[in-house]
Amino acid sequence: MSFQLDNISRRGALKTMGVASGLVIASPIFASGLRAEAMGTAGELVNSAYLSIDPDGTVHIYIHRVEMGQGSRTGLPQIIADELEADWSRIVFEPAYGDTKFGDQNTDGSTSIRKFYDAYRAAGAGARQMLEQAAANHWGVAASDVEAKAHKVHNKITGQSEDFSAFVSAAAKLEAPKGDALKLKSKPNWDLIGKPVRNIYMKEFVTGSSVFGQDVMREGMLFAVAARPPVVGGKITAYDKEAAMAVSGVVDVVELPALELPAVFKPLGGVAVLATNTWAAMKGRDALNAQFEAGDNASYNSDQYEQGLWSAIDGKDITHLNRGDVTAALENAEKTLTADYYVPHQHHMTMEPPAATAEWQGDDLKMWVCCQDPQSVQQSVAPFVDKKPEDIYVEATLLGGAFGRKSKPDFAVEAAILAKHAGKPVKMVWTREDDVHHGYYHTVAAQRVTAGLTADGEVTAWKHKAAYPSIGATFNPAANSPGSFELGLGLLDLPFEMPNLRVDAGDAKAHARIGWMRSVANIQQAFAAGSFVDELAHETGKNTVDMWLDLIGSDRKINPTDDMPNLLPGEGRRSSYGNYGESLERHPVDTARLKAVLRKVADMSGYGRKMPKGWGLGISVHRSFVSYVASVVEVQVTEDGGLNIPRAWMAVDCGVAVNPDRVKAQMEGAVVFGLSHALHGEISFKGGAVEQSNFDSYPMCRIDEAPTVETAIIASDSVPGGVGEPGVPPVAPALTNAIFAATGKRIRRLPVRDQLSA
């Protein structure tokens, strides 16, 4: 494995430029399909270069996605290696540095496998066919008479076999197969795709030799921490530089540029302390006694803001989806049912807080960052240090968790600024308190759902309204209501086959930096929808699974845009459906798959069985990131309000599961993540500042709270969907539905916390 802190190896760079007499494969994705191109000895790589083979047969796989526990740097090589017929022990895994030639490097949105499955297959298959053709030319037989297998090419006529190394140089001179000439392996012949493969970093994890962002060390490096405005948009007014400099080990105190909105991924401002060690920097920061003016967001108080959200729910409707006549249907319904749901701000709480190291060598800037996207680091840092993005070398270290926080590289910008000032390498260290106080938070959200029912319990209308500050406000302060890109995460694609359905938004201004967290707006929207279906089931005396099946209706493919109204004639649509960046042809909203995972998890858990007093099962199902996940949670609620969660079940249809072990791990992690936020997670504001600071005030699930998780992966021939995020959304409603089954008490606001003992 190759993971170098200085730079990509010189030998690796030569291979990348195609001058090592080896075979280099580039596999760009075109609108018309896929192709793999081999570059000659003097050729250059085009677009995304994922594969090269040395003359001695060593395979280099360039992995352009980061590793944060989800296993992308194992799953992507599995795809190439399988199609190539490579020996896993003869592969060098090369994490790619920030460069546009690798294509999109943003490890976010559960895209790594689903977006690059075809491209990585094409790279491996193209190289395999070129090696086979080179062997066929050498032996004087047809290409159909040779076959690559286990790092060798076999002559099916003579029985002769030769290692890849015998044909690499000749293959490098051939034209790569294109279009229909590219022959992918059939599923029965897969050796690695669909099989459990150990994480390529397992030895480093076990031995503690892994290099995370906080582990990077450079010769002569200084360590930095910063005192930042506690309120977004605030500015520093005073600090005691002399007191900080008097702390042993402190070498400098540097003001950071004040934040100018929009926030994007810019630093928040304040003042940084540089020292020879982290402890000295932290003590120096304490000595600063930094003072700030709060600015326009000083009036932000969570309690008052919630009242404003409910006023927005009561106020003007901004309609994004409209089928039938919901108003008339509700007026004419025999009965209506309404429920309000609330989710507070939440935070990622990664095990490793943000860290970035920057080093200037003359005019060259090199950075090592625990980031989800090295290209975003380049783009964010460049304007602050007067450089072009492509001239900044950025290497993504291993990430000790991310969940969306580390796709926002404000901390990397700070490191680059300070290193330029100091003339020495600088590691920007964020403490846990820094991360909690100065994050990009999951949005606070209020939702109201109303349904109209007939006398026999048929649901004829569903009105769903949401009010919450938009992620868009981080990029455009004028954004003051949920955007269609957020409502499209579980509301615009509600899978219900009913004649009257409407989705509305209400105004909500952001007063903090809003960012995406694992599964994004699906968190609050699946909580409301999944809870309300359970409420409808109870109201009508139905089993919740049957209620879901009745609401979903027939097996069909849904196109949400069919029910999206025009703003005004000739002015286009008010809303749009993004489908997680995928086409509806490739990844349709498929109700049959949704129902299948629901039935599977119900069967696994024995949902509907009689439970002892104080025990309950809750169920929910959700499609997100073009995958389908259903969850059942089992709870025991004691007489004094104590809560035990002994077991949970997950059923997932993510299309082809490239590495089933990783899929199961992601479902298990999603349960713990989802329960953490459902049980405990709340970021609150007073005077514009975050009130929480560490795990004592923002707890996560401990071992004694985490259930045993059983996961079923639905066998599927569909192209891969996302895995990292889709497990989270159904967990919270499954939990609160289980609590209702056990106690008869509805939990409509998160976190659960002490509501059971109230």
Side-chain angles (χ1 to χ4, degrees), residues 537-550:
H538 177 71
E539 183 69 25
T540 58
K542 293 183 180 180
N543 178 290
T544 303
V545 173
D546 293 334
M547 176 56 75
W548 270 108
L549 295 173
D550 289 348

Side-chain angles (χ1 to χ4, degrees), residues 702-736:
R702 299 298 182 113
I703 290 176
D704 62 342
E705 294 178 299
T708 299
V709 180
E710 180 182 340
T711 298
I713 302 172
I714 305 296
S716 177
D717 292 327
S718 298
V719 292
V723 171
E725 295 170 271
V728 174
V731 172
L735 169 69
T736 54

Side-chain angles (χ1 to χ4, degrees), residues 37 275 392 419 737 744:
E37 291 187 5
I392 302 172
N737 293 341

Side-chain angles (χ1 to χ4, degrees), residues 228-232 268 297-298 300-302 345-347 349 432-442 511-514 682-694 697-698:
R228 302 174 184 85
V231 181
V232 171
L268 288 168
N297 292 314
Y300 187 35
N301 296 304
S302 297
H345 285 295
Q346 296 175 334
H347 194 37
M349 298 302 283
R432 174 67 58 201
E433 290 79 6
D434 292 336
D435 185 39
V436 174
H437 291 156
H438 305 297
Y440 289 78
Y441 306 100
H442 179 72
H511 296 281
R513 296 193 297 183
I514 306 299
E682 180 174 18
I683 292 290
S684 58
F685 288 81
K686 186 172 183 179
V690 172
E691 294 187 285
Q692 292 71 32
S693 61
N694 209 315
S697 50
Y698 195 102

